[in-house]
Amino acid sequence: MSYRELRNITELARALSYPRIISIENFRTPNFALVAEMLEWIVKRFEPGAPVTADCVNEQERVIFIKACVTLLLQNARIKLNPKKLYQADGYAVQELLVPMRILHSATKQRPAEELSAQWNAMKTTLNARMREVGVARQLSTQLPQVGALLNDLLQKDLYMRKERARATSRTVSVQEAERSLKLCLVAVDSERKEIEEKIANIDNDERSLDEKIERRKREFDHMQKRYAKLQSFRPAHMDEYEKYEAKLKEVYEQYVIKFRNLAYLKQLQSELERADQQRAVEAERSMRETVEKLRLEQLNEKDAIDEEMEMLPPVFQPTEANAARKVFGNMVGAGLSDEDEEESDDDHPGAGGHLEEEEEEVERFVTTQLDEDDKHAQSSGDEF
């Protein structure tokens, strides 16, 4: 790593229109994110459709990314890089990144884009042909063990065959035996020739029969085509009635859809009204209970207040058990009501307990009347629907 290399990579990145600004200080310490981003950009410049991404989280993903990029550059551009230095992501990685960047810079500097694309396409074609050759070589290499084993078997049999050949060549053959073997061979060849001629004749017959079948099928096909055209132009007698009923069915279906929609809407309204009536009844019952509870609390408070007032009086004026139920009206000097007035006042003003019981009965009658009216209203609304 040197200062010149760091300066060269920054200038090359600027000349090649790298999407971000690179500083010399970026490579003073290991920076794998920047190296991965630059390596992805270089690979995409050589192969736009390369399936590589610089989003690496752990060590395994980084190793896979580096291997994929190095392999793509080696296959597509014949550029050999050191994956260990690239994984270090420091100044030594700059030395490896400079190689493909210089090639890209020299290509853009020397030739126009059209010539570069043509040369690149030719290179890709050549590489694809070489890759196909590699595939063929792999296929042949898989066949090598089988062929070797077969050759080994044949070579082992050659020892026996050599002896048989030597014995056959050393044996003298008479003219009569040779003539007899030749005649047998001629007879076998003649019979084989006759069989082949018969097969050829049968082939001709099969061809003629197939031609006849083809012609017959063609005539049948033309006849079926004409019949199909007649059937298309033919209109059945019940077609008008069918179309009329079909139009009526569409109208009836539209009415059915409208009625079904209205029925669903009315059912929804009915359920909402029932829910509202139920909620109103619950609220009325709750209000009645609150009112009764409030009256009970007021009664208890009044009773407690009367008891407190009676306790605050002197002992002389506190009621005894004999006259506890009797009420006294007037002042201490005797200027009060007469006995008749007291009887009238007792009749006109009943006790506190009786007064509170009457009020509770009136409240219950009022609440019961309200609940009956709500039920009648709910029944009337349900009858309307």
Side-chain angles (χ1 to χ4, degrees):
M1 179 187 68
S2 63
Y3 178 79
R4 180 177 294 178
E5 292 175 349
L6 296 175
R7 185 190 64 185
N8 289 339
I9 196 170
T10 55
E11 292 178 356
L12 288 175
R14 193 180 301 110
L16 293 173
S17 301
Y18 187 69
R20 56 171 291 183
I21 299 173
I22 299 175
S23 175
I24 296 175
E25 301 298 330
N26 292 131
F27 299 98
R28 297 293 184 185
T29 57
N31 190 352
F32 187 83
L34 179 58
V35 173
E37 184 179 352
M38 292 183 67
L39 191 59
E40 180 186 4
W41 178 76
I42 291 169
V43 172
K44 291 294 180 65
R45 290 293 296 270
F46 281 99
E47 183 64 29
V52 292
T53 177
D55 298 334
C56 302
V57 179
N58 50 22
E59 296 179 359
Q60 186 177 2
E61 292 181 357
R62 292 182 180 181
V63 172
I64 293 171
F65 171 74
I66 294 294
K67 285 184 178 180
C69 293
V70 171
T71 305
L72 287 172
L73 288 176
L74 182 61
Q75 291 177 355
N76 297 328
R78 295 292 179 178
I79 299 173
K80 188 175 181 181
L81 301 179
N82 191 349
K84 292 182 180 180
K85 291 183 179 180
L86 290 173
Y87 188 79
Q88 291 178 4
D90 54 2
Y92 294 101
V94 174
Q95 298 175 357
E96 302 297 325
L97 294 175
L98 279 174
V99 178
M101 293 184 73
R102 283 173 180 168
I103 294 173
L104 290 173
H105 184 261
S106 61
T108 56
K109 186 177 179 181
Q110 290 177 1
R111 299 176 183 177
E114 296 179 357
E115 296 181 1
L116 183 63
S117 62
Q119 185 180 4
W120 178 244
N121 292 329
M123 187 181 297
K124 285 177 65 176
T125 305
T126 306
L127 289 173
N128 292 329
R130 295 291 179 82
M131 292 299 293
R132 285 194 293 271
E133 291 178 0
V134 171
V136 173
R138 288 178 179 175
Q139 185 177 1
L140 293 175
S141 64
T142 57
Q143 297 176 2
L144 281 176
Q146 299 176 359
V147 175
L150 180 61
L151 182 60
N152 187 20
D153 295 338
L154 293 175
L155 289 174
Q156 289 179 358
K157 291 179 182 179
D158 185 63
L159 298 174
Y160 174 76
M161 294 297 178
R162 188 182 301 172
K163 293 179 181 179
E164 292 295 328
R165 284 196 305 270
R167 187 176 61 82
T169 54
S170 64
R171 185 170 62 88
T172 58
V173 181
S174 62
V175 178
Q176 295 177 358
E177 187 178 356
E179 186 178 358
R180 187 171 57 254
S181 62
L182 287 174
K183 286 181 180 180
L184 292 174
C185 291
L186 289 174
V187 172
V189 170
D190 191 12
S191 63
E192 187 177 356
R193 180 183 59 82
K194 289 180 181 179
E195 290 178 0
I196 292 171
E197 288 177 355
E198 290 178 358
K199 289 180 180 179
I200 291 172
N202 293 330
I203 289 172
D204 294 335
N205 294 329
D206 293 338
E207 287 181 356
R208 283 193 296 271
S209 63
L210 288 173
D211 292 335
E212 291 176 358
K213 288 182 180 179
I214 290 170
E215 292 294 332
R216 187 169 63 254
R217 295 295 182 184
K218 284 183 178 179
R219 289 193 296 271
E220 291 178 358
F221 177 74
D222 295 335
H223 179 69
M224 296 300 292
Q225 286 286 341
K226 292 178 182 178
R227 187 177 178 184
Y228 177 67
K230 289 181 181 179
L231 289 174
Q232 283 184 339
S233 61
F234 177 74
R235 184 177 178 84
H238 61 277
M239 198 66 188
D240 296 333
E241 186 177 1
Y242 172 76
E243 292 178 353
K244 182 176 68 175
Y245 284 122
E246 187 177 7
K248 289 183 178 180
L249 179 62
K250 289 182 180 178
E251 294 178 358
V252 171
Y253 180 72
E254 290 178 357
Q255 294 177 2
Y256 166 74
V257 170
I258 293 171
K259 290 181 179 181
F260 182 79
R261 191 183 302 158
N262 294 335
L263 180 61
Y265 177 70
L266 292 174
K267 286 183 178 179
Q268 183 180 1
L269 288 179
Q270 183 180 4
S271 62
E272 291 178 358
L273 289 173
E274 290 176 356
R275 195 183 301 111
D277 293 339
Q278 186 178 2
Q279 186 177 2
R280 189 161 50 249
V282 171
E283 291 178 355
E285 185 178 359
R286 187 174 61 253
S287 62
M288 180 189 70
R289 291 179 180 177
E290 290 177 356
T291 305
V292 172
E293 188 67 23
K294 186 177 179 181
L295 291 174
R296 187 178 291 108
L297 290 174
E298 289 179 357
Q299 180 182 357
L300 292 174
N301 292 333
E302 289 178 359
K303 191 181 232 184
D304 293 339
I306 292 172
D307 293 338
E308 289 178 358
E309 289 179 358
M310 295 300 295
E311 288 177 358
M312 291 175 65
L313 292 174
V316 179
F317 298 100
Q318 291 182 0
T320 59
E321 294 179 359
N323 56 3
R326 184 179 178 182
K327 292 185 179 180
V328 179
F329 296 92
N331 52 16
M332 296 177 62
V333 296
L337 297 174
S338 62
D339 296 336
E340 296 178 357
D341 294 336
E342 289 178 359
E343 292 176 358
E344 291 177 359
S345 62
D346 292 336
D347 295 335
D348 294 336
H349 300 283
H355 180 67
L356 290 175
E357 290 177 356
E358 291 178 357
E359 288 182 355
E360 290 179 358
E361 291 177 358
E362 289 178 0
V363 170
E364 290 180 357
R365 284 196 299 274
F366 175 74
V367 172
T368 306
T369 306
Q370 289 295 114
L371 292 175
D372 294 337
E373 290 179 358
D374 292 338
D375 294 336
K376 290 179 181 179
H377 179 67
Q379 291 177 2
S380 62
S381 60
D383 295 336
E384 290 178 0
F385 285 108

